[in-house]
Amino acid sequence: MQAKKAIDGPIERRAPEIGQRYERAERALAERWPGLRGILPFLGPAFIASVAYIDPGNYATNIAAGSTYGYRLLWVVLAANLMAILVQALSAKLGIATGRDLPELIRDRYGAAAGWFMWVQGELVVIFTDLAEFLGGAIGIHLLTGRSMVESAVFGTILSFLLLELQRRGVRPLEAAITGLVMVVTFSFVVEMFLSGVEPAPLMRGLLVPTFPDAEAVFLAAGILGATAMPHAIYLHSALTKRRVTARTPEEKKRLYRLELLDLWIAMGIAGVINMSMLIVAATLFHGQGMVVEEIDDAARLLGQFLGPAATLLFAVGLLASGLSSSSVGILAGDIIMQGFIRFRIPIYVRRIVSTIPPLAIILSGMSPTTALLVSQIVLSFGIGLALVPLVLLTRDRRVMGELANRPLTNLLAYAVTAVVLALNGYLLFSTFRGMAV
């Protein structure tokens, strides 16, 4: 069996030296039980998509929730992660079943005019996503080096271009780099969680007993969800799976989807641990001292006071890794959105340059990075429904999905998740604009 030929586009490019990996993957797909070694070639797409769920926007919301309410909103992080697993599973399944990505299918179903509208809102989603991620990376460099935010932003731009070079070399090198960065973030927060001295009994209550202490807690819960359900990740995951491995029969497609679910549970499980660790650290250290922490740099400084300089270092390294990996994924998603909705591409270096302009302008203006992160979450709240609703409608359609169409229970869960996501994001928008009007 020969490895598939490269197809134009950043997702499908494959360096010649990794062709054998795809050949092994296709051989493993034909086997009922491929074994551990046979499973390894299928791991990767979910790790790229999962980066969207641990970006700097999550830092801001999780730290604010933990410092304000202790462990009591930990269940929200768990629920948001489970919802995200379902959403990303639908996106991955769409790519496997159709060999096409969500933007392409939306354009085909709803027409070119709808495609142009969706492209405009999709680009806004990517720009504001990248705003949060770029700012997070710059804050990480600032904390590590003590340089000004402007100098840190410039250095962050250089690092992001180095990651783009990996993207040009193919999806596998990018997967490896992003997986490594995710492991850095995981190590940073898991270590800090154990150093902080967790209280097991309140933690388990917060994880398993749903509660909203007051109206502000609902707003923070909506923020946690808004920082978790990311529109660009929904578009991207279908592109990552659409032609990564060839599944020729319905049985092979089902088997491929089950292997992708394994990849998804591992990657999103790690993302969930990271997000819960953020909230747990803030709850243990800050809430216990009666401190409400809303600024990311304040959190880093206080970690140093409570746990020593190494804690600040770990926090900064994790934030930098989060910002860099998330920004790279945002650029990749932007490319997919443009190709799918309007069938046009621009060089990724041009996209990278354009995407740095808004965060650099914010840094030069002196605006609080945390305020900018909040604004980015408001824009993302508008975009989530426009990605989620078509995804659910397409994956339930047997004419589109064939035998991988959603089962009735999956449809019911998808409707429920969509309703909850839209309701909470609507509440987030209403509360934010009402606060601005006061």
Side-chain angles (χ1 to χ4, degrees):
M1 183 182 296
Q2 294 181 347
K4 293 194 300 178
K5 294 181 180 178
I7 304 169
D8 289 339
I11 291 297
E12 293 84 7
R13 282 198 199 108
R14 296 169 181 176
E17 64 272 15
I18 63 172
Q20 291 182 352
R21 295 182 184 176
Y22 290 92
E23 188 173 333
R24 287 199 302 270
E26 292 177 3
R27 280 203 307 269
L29 191 60
E31 301 175 12
R32 186 171 182 82
W33 304 108
L36 179 59
R37 188 174 181 182
I39 289 172
L40 292 178
F42 299 96
L43 304 182
F47 278 85
I48 292 183
S50 72
V51 167
Y53 298 89
I54 55 170
D55 74 355
N58 294 84
Y59 277 65
T61 54
N62 290 327
I63 290 171
S67 64
T68 306
Y69 296 104
Y71 302 111
R72 283 178 287 181
L73 294 184
L74 193 57
W75 69 272
V76 177
V77 179
L78 175 62
N81 202 66
L82 293 174
M83 290 180 185
I85 289 173
L86 175 62
V87 171
Q88 294 305 135
L90 295 181
S91 180
K93 183 167 68 170
L94 184 69
I96 292 169
T98 65
R100 310 183 72 194
D101 56 56
L102 180 58
E104 291 172 333
L105 291 166
I106 290 175
R107 177 190 168 96
D108 285 353
R109 169 160 290 198
Y110 300 108
W116 278 92
F117 169 77
M118 291 293 288
W119 170 66
V120 171
Q121 67 83 31
E123 291 289 358
L124 286 173
V125 162
V126 170
I127 288 171
F128 279 89
T129 298
D130 197 55
L131 167 65
E133 293 152 355
F134 191 91
L135 285 172
I139 294 170
I141 294 171
H142 168 68
L143 293 171
L144 285 171
T145 65
R147 298 288 184 180
S148 69
M149 281 294 293
V150 174
E151 292 174 313
S152 299
V154 171
F155 188 60
T157 302
I158 295 171
L159 291 177
S160 68
F161 273 99
L162 294 177
L163 270 179
L164 281 186
E165 186 58 29
L166 284 177
Q167 183 175 325
R168 288 181 66 250
R169 293 175 180 272
V171 69
R172 274 294 187 179
L174 182 65
E175 285 177 0
I178 287 179
T179 300
L181 290 171
V182 169
M183 293 302 104
V184 170
V185 181
T186 306
F187 176 80
S188 300
F189 269 97
V190 170
V191 169
E192 289 188 337
M193 181 177 66
F194 283 105
L195 289 176
S196 63
V198 177
E199 301 175 60
L203 185 152
M204 293 307 297
R205 282 198 301 272
L207 185 64
L208 301 176
V209 181
T211 180
F212 288 116
D214 53 36
E216 181 65 22
V218 180
F219 180 81
L220 269 176
I224 291 171
L225 183 65
T228 302
M230 302 297 280
H232 70 291
I234 299 174
Y235 296 123
L236 177 61
H237 207 157
S238 59
L240 292 170
T241 60
K242 66 179 182 179
R243 285 190 293 268
R244 190 174 187 272
V245 178
T246 301
R248 297 174 178 82
T249 66
E251 291 73 21
E252 286 189 353
K253 288 183 178 181
K254 290 179 181 178
R255 200 170 299 139
L256 179 57
Y257 176 55
R258 287 195 294 268
L259 289 166
E260 179 55 28
L261 283 179
L262 176 63
D263 180 34
L264 184 62
W265 276 99
I266 294 172
M268 293 302 295
I270 293 172
V273 168
I274 293 171
N275 280 311
M276 284 189 269
S277 298
M278 292 178 190
L279 190 147
I280 290 168
V281 169
T284 304
L285 295 180
F286 306 146
H287 182 73
Q289 299 292 327
M291 304 169 65
V292 175
V293 180
E294 297 180 342
E295 299 287 339
I296 291 177
D297 48 354
D298 287 342
R301 176 178 54 81
L302 290 169
L303 281 172
Q305 290 182 12
F306 288 120
L307 302 178
T312 298
L313 178 64
L314 283 171
F315 183 91
V317 169
L319 185 60
L320 174 58
S322 168
L324 285 176
S325 56
S326 302
S327 181
S328 179
V329 169
I331 294 297
L332 185 60
D335 203 42
I336 295 303
I337 287 168
M338 177 177 277
Q339 286 186 77
F341 285 134
I342 64 172
R343 298 175 183 172
F344 186 75
R345 288 189 65 209
I346 60 174
I348 57 172
Y349 285 107
V350 173
R351 180 175 288 280
R352 173 76 276 174
I353 291 170
V354 171
S355 70
T356 61
I357 294 174
L360 283 174
I362 287 174
I363 290 170
L364 290 172
S365 72
M367 179 189 294
S368 163
T370 302
T371 301
L373 291 176
L374 176 61
V375 173
S376 74
Q377 297 308 312
I378 294 172
V379 175
L380 294 179
S381 296
F382 282 108
I384 184 64
L386 292 173
L388 189 52
V389 172
L391 175 68
V392 174
L393 294 177
L394 286 166
T395 54
R396 75 176 187 177
D397 192 336
R398 185 169 288 274
R399 293 170 299 177
V400 175
M401 301 291 292
E403 293 189 20
L404 283 182
N406 296 342
R407 296 177 180 179
L409 178 58
T410 304
N411 280 326
L412 184 61
L413 291 173
Y415 299 151
V417 167
T418 301
V420 170
V421 168
L422 295 181
L424 283 176
N425 276 280
Y427 179 81
L428 176 64
L429 292 172
F430 171 76
S431 300
T432 300
F433 288 124
R434 184 180 64 178
M436 290 178 177
V438 174

